[in-house]
Amino acid sequence: GNSVTQMEGPVTLSEEAFLTINCTYTATGYPSLFWYVQYPGEGLQLLLKATKADDKGSNKGFEATYRKETTSFHLEKGSVQVSDSAVYFCALVSGSARQLTFGSGTQLTVLP
Amino acid sequence: NAGVTQTPKFQVLKTGQSMTLQCAQDMNHNSMYWYRQDPGMGLRLIYYSASEGTTDKGEVPNGYNVSRLNKREFSLRLESAAPSQTSVYFCASTDNYEQYFGPGTRLTVT
Protein backbone atom coordinates (compact mmCIF):
# COMPACT_ATOMS: atom_id res chain seq x y z
CA GLY A 1 0.00 0.00 0.00
CA ASN A 2 0.86 3.67 -0.05
CA SER A 3 2.68 5.38 2.79
CA VAL A 4 4.32 8.72 3.56
CA THR A 5 7.11 9.23 6.08
CA GLN A 6 7.81 12.72 7.33
CA MET A 7 10.56 14.15 9.42
CA GLU A 8 9.48 14.22 13.05
CA GLY A 9 8.95 17.52 14.75
CA PRO A 10 8.57 19.83 16.31
CA VAL A 11 10.93 22.12 14.44
CA THR A 12 11.82 25.50 15.92
CA LEU A 13 13.69 28.09 13.85
CA SER A 14 14.58 31.74 14.08
CA GLU A 15 13.12 34.17 11.57
CA GLU A 16 15.04 34.21 8.26
CA ALA A 17 16.52 30.74 8.83
CA PHE A 18 16.55 28.06 6.12
CA LEU A 19 13.87 25.38 6.38
CA THR A 20 13.93 21.77 5.22
CA ILE A 21 11.24 19.24 6.11
CA ASN A 22 12.00 15.78 4.77
CA CYS A 23 9.36 13.58 3.16
CA THR A 24 9.74 10.16 1.56
CA TYR A 25 7.03 7.96 0.14
CA THR A 26 6.10 4.46 -0.93
CA ALA A 27 3.47 4.11 -3.62
CA THR A 28 2.28 1.94 -6.45
CA GLY A 29 2.32 3.45 -9.90
CA TYR A 30 3.11 7.12 -10.39
CA PRO A 31 1.69 9.18 -7.54
CA SER A 32 1.09 12.91 -7.39
CA LEU A 33 2.71 14.57 -4.38
CA PHE A 34 1.51 17.41 -2.20
CA TRP A 35 2.39 19.60 0.73
CA TYR A 36 -0.52 20.84 2.82
CA VAL A 37 -0.31 23.45 5.60
CA GLN A 38 -2.55 23.74 8.65
CA TYR A 39 -2.59 27.01 10.57
CA PRO A 40 -3.79 26.92 14.19
CA GLY A 41 -7.50 26.23 14.47
CA GLU A 42 -8.02 25.83 10.74
CA GLY A 43 -8.41 23.08 8.17
CA LEU A 44 -5.68 22.04 5.75
CA GLN A 45 -4.78 24.15 2.72
CA LEU A 46 -2.85 23.01 -0.30
CA LEU A 47 0.59 24.65 -0.28
CA LEU A 48 2.13 23.12 -3.42
CA LYS A 49 2.01 20.04 -5.61
CA ALA A 50 3.96 18.08 -8.23
CA THR A 51 2.37 15.56 -10.52
CA LYS A 52 5.35 13.89 -12.22
CA ALA A 53 9.01 13.11 -11.68
CA ASP A 54 11.38 16.11 -11.63
CA ASP A 55 8.50 18.58 -11.33
CA LYS A 56 9.11 21.39 -8.86
CA GLY A 57 6.13 22.75 -6.97
CA SER A 58 6.41 26.23 -5.50
CA ASN A 59 4.23 28.70 -3.61
CA LYS A 60 4.78 31.53 -1.10
CA GLY A 61 8.55 30.99 -1.20
CA PHE A 62 8.26 27.25 -0.46
CA GLU A 63 9.58 24.68 -2.94
CA ALA A 64 9.64 20.91 -3.28
CA THR A 65 10.98 18.72 -6.09
CA TYR A 66 9.52 15.32 -7.00
CA ARG A 67 12.50 12.92 -6.91
CA LYS A 68 11.49 9.52 -8.21
CA GLU A 69 14.96 7.99 -7.80
CA THR A 70 14.98 8.72 -4.06
CA THR A 71 11.16 8.63 -3.63
CA SER A 72 11.34 11.99 -1.89
CA PHE A 73 9.54 15.33 -1.88
CA HIS A 74 11.38 17.52 0.64
CA LEU A 75 9.92 20.93 1.50
CA GLU A 76 12.32 23.91 1.55
CA LYS A 77 12.15 27.63 2.16
CA GLY A 78 15.12 29.96 2.08
CA SER A 79 14.00 32.42 4.74
CA VAL A 80 11.12 31.58 7.08
CA GLN A 81 8.85 34.13 8.72
CA VAL A 82 6.91 34.05 11.98
CA SER A 83 3.73 33.73 9.90
CA ASP A 84 4.98 30.38 8.53
CA SER A 85 4.42 28.78 11.95
CA ALA A 86 2.01 25.93 11.25
CA VAL A 87 1.80 22.16 10.82
CA TYR A 88 3.00 20.87 7.45
CA PHE A 89 1.75 17.61 5.93
CA CYS A 90 3.25 15.71 3.05
CA ALA A 91 0.72 13.65 1.09
CA LEU A 92 0.30 11.60 -2.05
CA VAL A 93 -2.51 10.41 -4.26
CA SER A 94 -2.25 7.36 -6.44
CA GLY A 95 -4.85 5.64 -8.56
CA SER A 96 -8.27 6.68 -9.72
CA ALA A 97 -9.97 6.99 -6.34
CA ARG A 98 -8.12 10.22 -5.52
CA GLN A 99 -7.57 9.13 -1.93
CA LEU A 100 -4.88 11.12 -0.17
CA THR A 101 -2.36 9.35 2.04
CA PHE A 102 -0.87 11.73 4.61
CA GLY A 103 2.32 11.81 6.59
CA SER A 104 2.08 12.41 10.33
CA GLY A 105 2.73 16.15 10.06
CA THR A 106 5.58 18.40 11.20
CA GLN A 107 4.96 21.27 13.60
CA LEU A 108 7.02 24.34 12.66
CA THR A 109 7.49 27.25 15.05
CA VAL A 110 9.35 30.35 13.87
CA LEU A 111 10.59 32.72 16.55
CA PRO A 112 11.11 36.45 15.96
CA ASN B 1 -17.90 31.56 -1.74
CA ALA B 2 -18.10 29.48 1.47
CA GLY B 3 -16.16 26.44 0.21
CA VAL B 4 -16.53 23.54 2.64
CA THR B 5 -18.56 24.11 5.81
CA GLN B 6 -18.88 21.83 8.82
CA THR B 7 -21.20 21.84 11.80
CA PRO B 8 -20.86 21.79 14.71
CA LYS B 9 -17.42 23.25 15.50
CA PHE B 10 -17.26 21.62 18.93
CA GLN B 11 -19.18 18.77 20.57
CA VAL B 12 -18.95 16.86 23.81
CA LEU B 13 -20.69 13.49 24.02
CA LYS B 14 -21.06 10.86 26.69
CA THR B 15 -20.11 7.28 25.87
CA GLY B 16 -22.97 5.60 24.03
CA GLN B 17 -24.59 8.77 22.71
CA SER B 18 -25.09 9.28 19.00
CA MET B 19 -24.60 12.29 16.78
CA THR B 20 -24.25 13.36 13.16
CA LEU B 21 -21.54 15.64 11.81
CA GLN B 22 -22.68 17.71 8.87
CA CYS B 23 -20.61 18.78 5.86
CA ALA B 24 -21.58 20.80 2.82
CA GLN B 25 -19.63 22.14 -0.17
CA ASP B 26 -20.67 24.74 -2.71
CA MET B 27 -18.00 24.05 -5.35
CA ASN B 28 -20.03 21.44 -7.27
CA HIS B 29 -17.41 18.78 -6.50
CA ASN B 30 -18.15 15.14 -7.15
CA SER B 31 -15.93 13.59 -4.47
CA MET B 32 -16.21 14.13 -0.73
CA TYR B 33 -14.25 12.72 2.22
CA TRP B 34 -14.29 12.37 6.00
CA TYR B 35 -11.00 12.26 7.92
CA ARG B 36 -10.05 12.15 11.55
CA GLN B 37 -6.93 13.83 12.88
CA ASP B 38 -5.17 12.51 15.96
CA PRO B 39 -1.89 13.74 17.44
CA GLY B 40 1.16 12.23 15.74
CA MET B 41 -0.94 10.30 13.21
CA GLY B 42 -1.71 12.78 10.49
CA LEU B 43 -5.13 12.49 8.88
CA ARG B 44 -6.76 9.12 8.39
CA LEU B 45 -9.58 8.51 5.94
CA ILE B 46 -12.81 7.26 7.50
CA TYR B 47 -15.16 7.15 4.49
CA TYR B 48 -15.36 8.75 1.10
CA SER B 49 -17.89 9.30 -1.64
CA ALA B 50 -16.49 9.34 -5.17
CA SER B 51 -19.78 10.62 -6.56
CA GLU B 52 -23.37 11.26 -5.54
CA GLY B 53 -25.01 7.98 -4.56
CA THR B 54 -21.80 6.09 -3.74
CA THR B 55 -19.85 5.66 -0.52
CA ASP B 56 -16.81 3.54 0.35
CA LYS B 57 -14.83 2.68 3.44
CA GLY B 58 -11.47 4.26 4.08
CA GLU B 59 -8.73 3.26 6.46
CA VAL B 60 -10.66 3.55 9.76
CA PRO B 61 -14.43 3.07 9.15
CA ASN B 62 -15.38 1.09 12.25
CA GLY B 63 -17.92 2.85 14.46
CA TYR B 64 -19.01 5.28 11.74
CA ASN B 65 -21.63 5.52 9.03
CA VAL B 66 -22.02 8.07 6.25
CA SER B 67 -24.72 9.41 3.99
CA ARG B 68 -24.20 11.27 0.73
CA LEU B 69 -27.46 13.16 0.91
CA ASN B 70 -26.99 14.93 -2.43
CA LYS B 71 -24.08 16.34 -4.39
CA ARG B 72 -23.50 19.10 -1.81
CA GLU B 73 -23.85 17.26 1.49
CA PHE B 74 -21.98 14.36 3.11
CA SER B 75 -22.75 13.51 6.75
CA LEU B 76 -20.88 11.34 9.23
CA ARG B 77 -22.78 9.50 11.98
CA LEU B 78 -21.54 8.03 15.22
CA GLU B 79 -24.21 5.58 16.41
CA SER B 80 -22.71 4.83 19.82
CA ALA B 81 -19.81 7.12 20.66
CA ALA B 82 -16.71 5.74 22.37
CA PRO B 83 -13.78 7.60 24.01
CA SER B 84 -11.53 6.30 21.18
CA GLN B 85 -13.54 8.51 18.82
CA THR B 86 -12.32 11.67 20.55
CA SER B 87 -10.65 13.48 17.66
CA VAL B 88 -10.84 16.37 15.24
CA TYR B 89 -12.93 15.51 12.19
CA PHE B 90 -12.38 17.11 8.79
CA CYS B 91 -14.53 16.99 5.71
CA ALA B 92 -13.01 17.61 2.27
CA SER B 93 -14.10 17.73 -1.34
CA THR B 94 -12.43 17.64 -4.74
CA ASP B 95 -12.93 17.34 -8.45
CA ASN B 96 -9.26 16.75 -9.31
CA TYR B 97 -6.13 16.39 -7.18
CA GLU B 98 -6.57 19.33 -4.83
CA GLN B 99 -8.76 18.58 -1.85
CA TYR B 100 -10.48 21.50 -0.12
CA PHE B 101 -10.93 21.10 3.61
CA GLY B 102 -13.51 22.38 6.05
CA PRO B 103 -12.53 24.02 9.36
CA GLY B 104 -13.07 20.83 11.38
CA THR B 105 -15.23 19.56 14.25
CA ARG B 106 -13.55 18.94 17.59
CA LEU B 107 -15.32 16.01 19.27
CA THR B 108 -14.73 14.85 22.83
CA VAL B 109 -16.29 11.64 24.11
CA THR B 110 -16.24 11.22 27.89
Side-chain angles (χ1 to χ4, degrees):
Chain A
N2 298 335
S3 68
V4 176
T5 302
Q6 260 183 261
M7 145 182 195
E8 299 227 351
V11 174
T12 302
L13 296 173
S14 297
E15 205 164 24
E16 298 185 2
F18 184 86
L19 169 71
T20 300
I21 301 178
N22 290 338
C23 171
T24 57
Y25 67 89
T26 303
T28 55
Y30 302 96
S32 294
L33 303 174
F34 307 85
W35 277 100
Y36 279 81
V37 59
Q38 184 180 29
Y39 298 104
E42 299 183 11
L44 278 70
Q45 304 171 26
L46 180 65
L47 180 59
L48 54 84
K49 68 181 179 188
T51 57
K52 61 182 188 297
D54 300 325
D55 269 2
K56 178 185 284 189
S58 61
N59 186 23
K60 299 181 182 180
F62 291 89
E63 292 183 340
T65 302
Y66 188 146
R67 301 284 187 203
K68 189 169 183 296
E69 62 276 13
T70 55
T71 62
S72 65
F73 193 54
H74 304 321
L75 182 68
E76 296 182 336
K77 186 174 186 183
S79 176
V80 293
Q81 305 300 312
V82 172
S83 57
D84 294 327
S85 297
V87 181
Y88 292 82
F89 292 92
C90 186
L92 67 83
V93 64
S94 180
S96 60
R98 301 194 182 112
Q99 296 179 46
L100 279 170
T101 299
F102 286 91
S104 57
T106 302
Q107 171 78 55
L108 170 67
T109 302
V110 180
L111 303 175
Chain B
N1 188 340
V4 179
T5 57
Q6 291 182 237
T7 55
K9 288 192 185 309
F10 301 94
Q11 184 71 50
V12 179
L13 292 178
K14 295 188 189 306
T15 298
Q17 289 185 317
S18 63
M19 79 161 294
T20 300
L21 281 63
Q22 306 287 353
C23 173
Q25 52 93 9
D26 62 2
M27 295 172 282
N28 203 37
H29 287 164
N30 284 309
S31 301
M32 297 185 73
Y33 306 80
W34 276 105
Y35 295 92
R36 59 178 290 172
Q37 182 179 26
D38 301 295
M41 300 189 74
L43 275 75
R44 294 181 292 169
L45 183 65
I46 304 171
Y47 270 93
Y48 67 100
S49 171
S51 61
E52 186 178 355
T54 69
T55 60
D56 285 288
K57 294 178 180 179
E59 182 185 353
V60 288
N62 291 345
Y64 305 95
N65 286 298
V66 290
S67 296
R68 184 72 183 268
L69 304 168
N70 47 55
K71 193 171 186 179
R72 290 187 64 248
E73 299 172 287
F74 188 39
S75 62
L76 178 72
R77 183 159 179 85
L78 287 71
E79 290 291 352
S80 179
S84 60
Q85 294 178 303
T86 293
S87 188
V88 182
Y89 292 84
F90 288 100
C91 178
S93 70
T94 186
D95 242 6
N96 49 42
Y97 295 112
E98 179 176 357
Q99 291 194 12
Y100 292 81
F101 285 79
T105 295
R106 187 173 293 274
L107 175 66
T108 301
V109 183
T110 61

